[in-house]
Amino acid sequence: MLVASVLMTVVASTLLKIGGRAVNFEGGIMTIAIGYMTTPLIVTGFAFYALAAFIWIYCLSQFDLSYVTFVSSIQYIFMILVSIMIFHEQISAMKWAGCVFIMIGVILWLKG
C-alpha cells in the first residue's frame, strides 16, 4: 500500500506539471484559479494526491511513522525517472549521488 501511495504521488506531480503548461498565467489570480479548476489534468492530479493521502493515512495507522517516512523516500528515484523519460530533463551527477545516498540511508534504516 505504501508503494501505491508513493506511485500515486509521482503520477499526481506528473499530471500537475503537464496540466500546468495549459494554464494561462496572464491576468489576475482568479483567471489562474479558474484555469486550474478547468484543466482536466490538474483536476486529475489533485484527485491522485487526495487518494494518495488516504492511503498514506492508512499506512501511518498500520506502521511506524519513521518506517513510512523513510520508505516513501523512494519517491525521489521515481521522480527522477519520470523527469528523464517524460520531461527529458538532464540530471546532474551530483543529484544522482544524492539519490544514491538517500537510498543507502533507506536501506540502512530498514536493516537497522
Side-chain angles (χ1 to χ4, degrees):
M1 288 297 268
L2 182 55
V3 174
S5 174
V6 168
L7 290 175
M8 285 184 196
T9 302
V10 170
V11 169
S13 293
T14 304
L15 292 172
L16 292 177
K17 177 154 177 77
I18 295 169
R21 293 176 176 173
V23 175
N24 181 7
F25 289 98
E26 306 280 327
I29 189 74
M30 287 306 295
T31 304
I32 295 169
I34 291 170
Y36 286 161
M37 292 184 285
T38 58
T39 303
L41 288 175
I42 291 178
V43 173
T44 304
F46 281 130
F48 268 91
Y49 267 133
L51 187 55
F54 283 113
I55 294 172
W56 178 262
I57 293 166
Y58 170 78
C59 291
L60 289 174
S61 72
Q62 300 298 311
F63 305 103
D64 292 338
L65 174 62
S66 57
Y67 173 81
V68 172
T69 303
F70 270 87
V71 172
S72 70
S73 297
I74 197 163
Q75 173 181 337
Y76 300 128
I77 301 301
F78 290 133
M79 286 309 305
I80 284 182
L81 295 174
V82 166
S83 297
I84 292 168
M85 294 185 331
I86 295 177
F87 300 112
H88 308 290
E89 296 177 7
Q90 299 296 316
I91 307 301
S92 70
M94 190 67 77
K95 289 178 182 176
W96 277 114
C99 283
V100 168
F101 281 119
I102 290 169
M103 289 300 101
I104 289 170
V106 169
I107 290 167
L108 291 174
W109 178 264
L110 292 174
K111 297 266 183 193

